[in-house]
Amino acid sequence: MRGRKALAYGAAICASWGGSASAIDLDLTSTDSIKNAAATVAFGMMSYYTGNHTGDNPGNLPSPYYWWEAGACFGTMVEYWYYTNDTSYNPSVTAAILSQVGTNEDFMPTNQTKTEGNDDQGFWGMTAMTAAEVNYPNPPSDQPQWLALAQAVFNDMVGRWDTSTCEGGLRWQIFTFNTGYDYKNSIANGCLFNIAARLARYTGNSSYADWAEKTWDWVEGVGLMSDDYSVYDGTSDTTNCTSIDKLQFSYNQGIYLFGAAMMYNYTNGSSLWKERVQGLLNNTNIFFQNGIMYEEACEQVNTVGNCDTDQQSFKAYLSRWMAATTKIAPFTSSYSLPLLASSAKAAALQCSGGTDGTTCGEHWTDNSTYDGNFGLGQQMSALSVIQSNMITQAPELVTNSTGGTSVGNAAAGSGSSDESVTVIAPATGADRAGAGILTTLWLAGVLGGVSFMVAGT
């Protein structure tokens, strides 16, 4: 994912016009009220999606939104179905996700392969994993299945584990010619950790848990996570990861929180993983001001904030992962649920812009004073925090032994049709060397002569 300042698009362009101060009515004691509020915000968010229009690209969002955020958007809509049982968007959401799986059914579609990063692929993989965990309706049997897609992303990422610098870790970017290839960051490694932990719980296979442990140990060892569980943004391999960028973003804290909660659940309440969950949860406190969620690194810079298009969606993921964590690590509920409630109330008040009077702004801390800052990320964040207040009523997150119906393929991601249940073990030196040779040959054959750079931050 790459930063760019937001410009609103399409049907939501009218949101910049002065609107009534009606806001969204939200009564958190009423399930119907929460569902109605979620439906209003979901409609606003999906108005940005043009992929189901004739001649447009299915599964993609228009500029300025990058491909990863489309994956996050559809993951949010999977959860919208989970919370509300509203099936009206399911055909569009399912078609959008499946349109981006690519030839090898691993979310490496040809329209993204020159710019795709590990975190980009990871967000689509987590969307598929969410679909499996909430028992979202399965695709037709001749299409890729949710669990297999998540396994494919895991397998691809494991194949990219890089010990040439920093004694391991995933790079932000997949391809050498993209800016950020020399950056090993928390979100790329967080995607691997998160997916591995969730696959461990869903399948019961310890090889996934081994990789979750391996990734956690590397992140902690290199200094991307502090002793008190603050998660920092990243580090450069040009200095062998000796200097840490200590910016803190809410989605980094959240992605490790939910992954750690999965490991806590998988290990039947391990005291070590409980300590880690609690530590990560405690350090979400920097993302709340007077009980209201905000993006600490950018939202109030120079009073009005300077969050870019990507960052304007980050509160969505912290909301989602804090809520989901309460399902599998219930001891977190007393901390998280009141914060999700107060944030949802503030978000609903901030959804008071546009000609419809319900377009959502960015600064929930402004409450009913609409900030005029609108876009898909703002809608996604508001939707996520509002519907998360139904988590106590929502079904449990399933596994393949507790009602999960999604079909897996542990060998997915390589183009192989092998459907054995063997899971890739943690990579050996020989494995990595072989993978490196194959990657070099493939890049030389397919991308030979390519010498451009893709702009990004």
Side-chain angles (χ1 to χ4, degrees), residues 168-189:
L170 280 180
R171 297 175 180 273
W172 176 29
Q173 296 301 313
I174 296 171
F175 301 112
T176 58
F177 49 76
N178 283 333
T179 301
Y181 181 76
D182 60 0
Y183 197 55
K184 293 190 173 183
N185 61 359
S186 292
I187 193 60
N189 287 279

Side-chain angles (χ1 to χ4, degrees), residues 64-109:
Y65 304 105
Y66 287 106
W67 181 71
W68 79 271
E69 197 165 348
C73 169
F74 300 124
T76 301
M77 291 306 295
V78 167
E79 290 191 1
Y80 172 77
W81 167 84
Y82 165 68
Y83 283 118
T84 67
N85 205 32
D86 179 357
T87 62
S88 58
Y89 294 101
N90 286 15
S92 293
V93 170
T94 299
I97 298 171
L98 294 179
S99 73
Q100 297 300 307
V101 300
T103 303
N104 284 341
E105 299 179 356
D106 59 355
F107 294 115
M108 291 285 289

Side-chain angles (χ1 to χ4, degrees), residues 102-333:
T103 303
N104 284 341
E105 299 179 356
D106 59 355
F107 294 115
M108 291 285 289
T110 54
N111 65 335
Q112 298 296 324
T113 49
K114 291 182 180 179
T115 59
E116 188 171 340
N118 278 305
D119 54 344
D120 304 330
Q121 184 187 25
F123 264 84
W124 285 88
M126 289 186 292
T127 287
M129 193 70 235
T130 296
E133 290 164 344
V134 302
N135 258 345
Y136 181 75
N138 292 315
S141 59
D142 62 343
Q143 296 292 310
Q145 302 300 301
W146 307 131
L147 179 58
L149 286 166
Q151 289 171 308
V153 172
F154 167 83
N155 288 339
D156 285 358
M157 287 185 162
V158 164
R160 300 183 194 123
W161 187 262
D162 171 49
T163 57
S164 65
T165 59
C166 311
E167 299 184 357
L170 280 180
R171 297 175 180 273
W172 176 29
Q173 296 301 313
I174 296 171
F175 301 112
T176 58
F177 49 76
N178 283 333
T179 301
Y181 181 76
D182 60 0
Y183 197 55
K184 293 190 173 183
N185 61 359
S186 292
I187 193 60
N189 287 279
C191 288
L192 174 57
F193 169 68
N194 185 289
I195 292 171
R198 294 164 74 174
L199 285 171
R201 177 181 178 271
Y202 193 97
T203 67
N205 194 308
S206 62
S207 291
Y208 295 121
D210 291 344
W211 268 100
E213 293 267 12
K214 182 185 182 78
T215 308
W216 175 282
D217 289 346
W218 181 84
V219 168
E220 193 175 49
V222 83
L224 291 180
M225 187 183 298
S226 70
D227 291 342
D228 67 350
Y229 302 104
S230 293
V231 182
Y232 304 128
D233 190 65
T235 183
S236 174
D237 77 344
T238 60
T239 62
N240 203 35
C241 299
T242 57
S243 179
I244 304 297
D245 180 350
K246 292 194 173 182
L247 274 176
Q248 292 177 254
F249 292 106
S250 60
Y251 77 154
N252 280 332
Q253 200 74 25
I255 201 168
Y256 287 91
L257 171 66
F258 190 39
M262 282 285 172
M263 290 300 290
Y264 166 80
N265 190 276
Y266 169 77
T267 57
N268 296 313
S270 149
S271 59
L272 175 61
W273 283 107
K274 182 175 183 179
E275 175 191 325
R276 290 170 170 175
V277 171
Q278 190 64 62
L280 287 161
L281 187 63
N282 290 345
N283 277 284
T284 63
N285 64 349
I286 71 165
F287 305 111
F288 290 90
Q289 187 175 87
N290 299 320
I292 299 172
M293 192 182 296
Y294 80 117
E295 197 58 46
E296 188 269 345
C298 60
E299 195 168 307
Q300 295 185 346
V301 174
N302 298 325
T303 306
V304 296
N306 65 355
C307 297
D308 64 28
T309 304
D310 289 350
Q311 294 158 0
Q312 287 164 346
S313 72
F314 286 0
K315 290 181 292 191
Y317 319 125
L318 181 58
S319 299
R320 289 172 58 184
W321 290 324
M322 285 181 71
T325 291
T326 67
K327 276 297 192 196
I328 52 176
F331 68 88
T332 64
S333 296

